Amino acid sequence: MPHPPPARQGARPVFGNGTGHSRDQHRCVAAAYDPVTLPRLAAAGVGPGWRCLEVGAGGGSVARWLAGRVAPGGSVLATDRDPRDLRPGAHLEVAALDVARDPLPEAAFDLVVARLVLQHVPSRDIVLRKLVRALRPGGLLQVDEIDASYEPPLLTPDPRSESLYVRFLQAKTAALRAAGGDPSWARRAPAALREAGLTGIDVHVHIGVRHARDPGLRLQLNHTRNLRDRLREQGMTDDELDRVARLMQDPSFLAASSVFYSVQGRRPAQGRP
């Protein structure tokens, strides 16, 4: 089956798809965050007959898991601005969608999932309300985001290495903000879901330790390559990026992870948000 073409896009996306870097990023995201995202969805009761939407589905690990849960009788629509890294399957449809620009059907889904999406969308409050309207009355929205404002180094070989890692984090934050993102929006997600009209707001917070074998740190390592042009624009040199990449592969290196927020809320069974 041919892939749908990318959605009509405005600004250049921070993370593109269809490359070796993007596929490596999707593997790291799945390894780092599926252990939080998927049990949250399972506990919410996702099961046979559910109609589900995932926006910004990336490599599709969440969508594939959902497709296995909703059979028989259910369906999953996995969308991305560029869906080249997604594959359709049983109970799983793939479509190109720019959630900031394209319409969604209203009152159509029992579940909407958005992981690591809204912090990158400047019109995130408008998009959030669009996602709420796409829910059937009583439907569930799960928004998973990272707050990158807290991820300090804990053990480094020397003070120079510590400073280099902090500089890398600061450059990445600046690059995301320059593209219209908000790397600390996750902490405001619970209030944003409530303001969008959802009830029963439930919040799970996860933080861990990054080390050379940790997929969260491998994701950071990916960013030294995947975001290299943007990091250069923020003043980092190729030599600095190569050195911080080697640092993150040092077995003695430890850092705190970013804070991962998984936030759920339900559209009221009656009324319109």
Side-chain angles (χ1 to χ4, degrees), residues 3 24 36 88 108 139 155 157 159 162 177 179 204 213 243:
H3 288 293
D24 178 59
V36 180
L155 285 177
E162 179 175 349
R177 290 193 182 281
H204 177 97
R213 298 178 305 282
R243 284 193 288 116

Side-chain angles (χ1 to χ4, degrees), residues 34-157:
D34 280 5
V36 180
T37 298
L38 303 186
R40 291 275 286 162
L41 294 170
V46 178
W50 280 47
R51 292 191 65 195
C52 306
L53 167 69
E54 185 182 10
V55 297
S61 65
V62 173
R64 289 191 297 272
W65 181 89
L66 287 170
R69 297 277 298 198
V70 302
S75 63
V76 179
L77 176 59
T79 71
D80 204 285
R81 291 177 68 163
D82 182 346
R84 283 180 290 172
D85 291 339
L86 294 168
R87 295 289 182 271
H91 308 286
L92 174 58
E93 181 183 354
V94 171
L97 178 86
D98 182 344
V99 73
R101 301 163 67 101
D102 298 332
L104 285 173
E106 298 200 6
F109 300 100
D110 302 295
L111 170 72
V112 175
V113 180
R115 182 171 72 179
L116 305 181
V117 173
L118 293 179
Q119 68 165 276
H120 299 296
V121 181
S123 58
R124 61 189 63 86
D125 291 333
I126 295 171
V127 169
L128 187 54
R129 284 172 170 78
K130 183 191 297 187
L131 299 181
V132 172
R133 291 194 299 271
L135 289 169
R136 292 173 172 171
L140 179 73
L141 174 65
Q142 180 166 316
V143 171
D144 289 358
E145 289 285 356
I146 56 173
D147 176 1
S149 65
Y150 178 82
E151 41 188 2
L154 302 175
L155 285 177
T156 62

